[in-house]
Amino acid sequence: MPSFVITEKCDGCKALDKTACQHICPNDLMVLDKVQMKAYNREPEMCWECYNCVKICPTQAVEVRGYADFVPLGAAVTPMRGTDSIMWTVKFRNGTLKRFKFPIRTTEEGKAVPDGGFGPGDANLKNQMLFTEPASAGMPTIPSLKK
Amino acid sequence: MANFETREVSTDLLILGGGMAACGAAVEAAYWAKQNGLKVTLVDKAAMDRSGAVAMGLSAINQYVGLKDGQNTLKDYVDYVRNDLMGITREDLVANIARHVDSSVHLFEKWGLPIWKDEKGAYVHEGRWQLMINGESYKVVVAEAAKNALGPENIYERVFITDPLMDGDKCVGAVGFSVRENVFYVFKAKAVLVAMGGAVHVFKPRSSGEGLGRAWYPPWNSGSSAYFTLKAGAEMTCQEVRFIPVRFKDAYGPVGAWFLLFKSRATNGMDENYMETRKPELENWVPYGKVKPVPANLRNWLGMLDVMEGKGPIFMRTEEAIANIANQYKDDPKGYKAKMKELESEAWEDFLDMTISQAILWAASNVAPEEAKSEIAAAEPYFIGSHSGASGAWVSGPEDLQTSETKPVYFWGYGHMATTPGIFCAGDASGASSHKFSSGSHAEGRIAAKEAIRYIVDHPEAPKVDAAKVEELKAMLLKPLDIYAQNSKYSSDPNIHPEYIRPKMFMFRLQKIMDEYAGGVTAQFKTSKAMLEKGLVLLSMLKEDSLKLAAEDLHELMRCWENIQRMWQAEAHVRTILFREETRWPGYYFRSDTPKMKEDWLAFANCKWDPKSNNWEMIKRPVMYINQAL
Ligand SMILES: Cc1cc2nc3c(=O)[nH]c(=O)nc-3n(C[C@H](O)[C@H](O)[C@H](O)COP(=O)(O)OP(=O)(O)OC[C@H]3O[C@@H](n4cnc5c(N)ncnc54)[C@H](O)[C@@H]3O)c2cc1C
Ligand code: SF4
Ligand code: SF4
């Protein structure tokens, strides 16, 4: 059913200022049932299995079960996303387990500086250069048509 | 009318969308705005950290030219794109993006995106133009720089944009609604930069049950860009040039790593390699049939011919590719083991970074790629002008990349501005400049943003907005809520009602029309004049019924508008296929009544909807190249 929420694990993000899964879903699928204080996917057939709700949930309450109309049962793909890397556990239908770890970023979260440290560059509103160019392009200038 | 507060926001530059192009635009615009005392506002229907086509992440940067190291020239890139698109390309736009794309990539790296490097510190290439990345957080990193540039007070998330605000022929803002609270938004601006991505679910997908959402293209991009520019009366281009990717079947996992890194072949059910057995077919599409690499749509076409003859399924020969690698290490078992471990990790990362569904499907099917081949298939058609499609608005090129011949036709004052003054377009929103991908879309966003600021500095007059028109738009946007509220009690099942239609069934109706009449999967990507004309009749009734869409809540109101946007994209598509009386991209669609490419159609097929008369105009524009001057 694409993403689904394990009832027991979801605490409705009580401690946060916003419901994490609802905040992040690019397709506006996750909603909080305010009576039960449990989240659910309101339109599973519009889910891309992008895993953003899974990765963001503070209690690991969201999982994904492959689309029932073409995926055999029994597999599980589970991420653990940290600040600089992500760990994946892939469980096969036949029980085989694979684990992978990949870096996700090389800088501290939140700190991306718009000019990337290149400085504003030589651009003015009349020339063809953009902010940070030509330094960010690594060239003395930006090429144009041969005259 | 439903009780909604109207909230007005006045700004100078309004950026619509929060994806790759919009994030590039934000960084650039923030700089120039500060210099000129201007305000920039960005609106996204979702959360910028994870919105748009890169929401899940990507495993490669598909456009990097390598200009600084002399790896390629601008001309190389332009030649590649022109040939891949069978000659139909605005080289001025492609070159403009290509000369700025590397600097976007260098910025990504500084912002924290891990790009693979070899022992010498050079980028690792997947193919000539593609760089390998650890891209799980690609969008998070790129959005972070954009958000830091703009400041949170200038960003509106979860606001869904529909229509342009017009002052005569000029665009002066946009309207939309919040999907979190009952608020109707009116954004007034001196210029608007459209970057709301492409469209999916216009055609019926192969999976239509629970897997409906697993299209290759993300289900949340619904043609908002095309709708917005069409409604503003802007001229559109390449509306016939849809994209059909061939990917691992059903979950649509990427095949690039297998083809490019592991040198895998694809063969049919009889073990024949269609790229070899069908080679003579390429003669029918010269000169493009002769270029290397073979254009994407022609590669599709050769495989489709096999499938249409019942020679499927088509398989990626993973087991063979791995055996070939093993063979290279036959005297070095330790080296082989290390290499296999590396390849296995690369192959899985390719899926886990950008199509996790494919990892689930392989795990659930116990796929061991070294033991057995895996099926690949052509997906349904999508509108993604930034990738290997080309649909989007017809925009001005930059002045310095025009020849005396191209200038009168391709340049009107500000680069990447649509024919409607005040509208700038980037990424999937601008047409005839395909193969920009994630990095080129970001670069185009930057280019368009700078040009938009230049336009605002030249045109500082405050936007004039007619209050009565705003009220009219508000009533139009909220109407589906009213229809539902007023009628739903009549039937004991609110889904089935003689007076209204809910958005999901409306979408299915659109998809069925497009699938069957406009060359979708069911029609094996084939259509004809007679089919298209019938499709247009059905679309015209669908359009009438769009006034009877009903929404129970804010989420469904968004679904109603997404499907109206899809319907407009569909109509532009059908009209343009009908106009172009030839077949030029046989692996994207095949017109059975005009099955050949024609000399006199080496031209752009443009279209325009006139807001005053409600008529469509079809326009043929010349294709002219600048590559000799590059
Ligand atoms: C499956 C897949 C794989 C790809 N792989 C690669 C790859 O490996 N390498 C590569 O370089 N490129 C790749 N691409 C291409 C790349 O993702 C696109 O070229 C790029 O994202 C286009 O940028 P954009 O800004 O035009 O659109 P997007 O990035 O899609 O952004 C669209 C934005 O508009 C917002 N929006 C949409 N509608 C509205 C509305 N009505 N109101 C307000 N906001 C709205 C969305 O929320 C989003 O923020 C891939 C694309 C797909 C789909
Ligand atoms: S997997 Fe993605 S699309 Fe599906 S509910 Fe979660 S965030 Fe939304
Ligand atoms: S993020 Fe997790 S804990 Fe929070 S509401 Fe969603 S499922 Fe529940």
Side-chain angles (χ1 to χ4, degrees), chain B residues 198-476:
Chain B
V200 62
H201 286 136
V202 173
F203 282 82
K204 186 174 172 180
R206 283 183 184 270
S207 303
S208 46
E210 207 176 71
L212 180 70
R214 177 102 287 277
W216 173 82
Y217 195 64
W220 43 81
N221 280 357
S222 59
S224 304
S225 301
Y227 173 83
F228 189 93
T229 44
L230 272 166
K231 288 294 291 280
E235 186 169 328
M236 306 293 286
T237 192
C238 299
Q239 293 298 305
E240 75 281 37
V241 194
R242 39 151 105 176
F243 176 47
I244 298 178
V246 169
R247 294 292 182 269
F248 284 108
K249 187 169 177 290
D250 296 330
Y252 299 135
V255 295
W258 284 97
F259 275 133
L260 299 171
L261 277 184
F262 313 146
K263 310 279 183 259
S264 179
R265 299 189 307 153
T267 57
N268 68 15
M270 288 136 184
D271 279 351
E272 297 161 345
N273 178 354
Y274 53 83
M275 292 304 291
E276 313 224 309
T277 52
R278 299 273 177 192
K279 211 176 219 161
E281 170 66 19
L282 292 174
E283 299 286 338
N284 295 328
W285 309 98
V286 287
Y288 314 107
K290 288 283 190 195
V291 298
K292 289 266 171 328
V294 178
N297 87 88
L298 291 180
R299 274 180 275 142
N300 281 5
W301 176 236
L302 300 190
M304 284 170 183
L305 286 171
D306 272 12
V307 172
M308 285 186 273
E309 275 182 20
K311 290 183 164 179
I314 305 290
F315 292 106
M316 178 73 81
R317 300 303 296 269
T318 56
E319 80 309 357
E320 191 188 84
I322 291 178
N324 286 340
I325 296 165
N327 208 20
Q328 292 163 20
Y329 285 86
K330 59 178 180 301
D331 304 320
D332 176 12
K334 240 169 112 191
Y336 174 67
K337 240 178 128 188
K339 182 74 186 170
M340 280 321 292
K341 218 174 143 45
E342 181 190 316
L343 285 186
E344 182 182 48
S345 159
E346 285 174 11
W348 283 89
E349 182 174 11
D350 202 21
F351 293 167
L352 293 168
D353 274 354
M354 60 193 250
T355 319
I356 305 162
S357 297
Q358 188 68 49
I360 304 179
L361 182 57
W362 272 23
S365 320
N366 296 327
V367 170
E370 66 280 12
E371 283 167 16
K373 53 201 180 189
S374 274
E375 202 178 340
I376 58 174
E380 56 279 354
Y382 311 112
F383 298 89
I384 171 166
S386 67
H387 204 284
S388 311
S391 54
W394 180 247
V395 298
S396 171
E399 189 169 18
D400 74 314
L401 292 182
Q402 308 300 332
T403 63
S404 53
E405 196 196 10
T406 62
K407 195 166 176 181
V409 191
Y410 294 169
F411 173 74
W412 50 95
Y414 300 89
H416 304 249
M417 186 169 91
T419 56
T420 299
I423 293 189
F424 292 77
C425 300
D428 295 315
S430 84
S433 52
S434 48
H435 292 260
K436 28 194 176 184
F437 303 102
S438 59
S439 44
S441 295
H442 189 269
E444 192 182 20
R446 290 159 59 220
I447 302 168
K450 185 185 168 193
E451 288 293 272
I453 297 282
R454 193 162 70 81
Y455 171 87
I456 293 170
V457 169
D458 292 349
H459 302 81
E461 55 282 3
K464 271 213 309 285
V465 176
D466 175 2
K469 183 69 199 171
V470 169
E471 276 310 299
E472 202 182 291
L473 284 167
K474 182 175 180 182
M476 179 180 95

Side-chain angles (χ1 to χ4, degrees), chain B residues 119-131:
Chain B
E119 316 78 55
K120 291 192 196 114
Y123 292 146
V124 173
H125 279 256
E126 183 189 40
R128 183 170 178 187
W129 316 105
Q130 297 86 357
L131 302 182

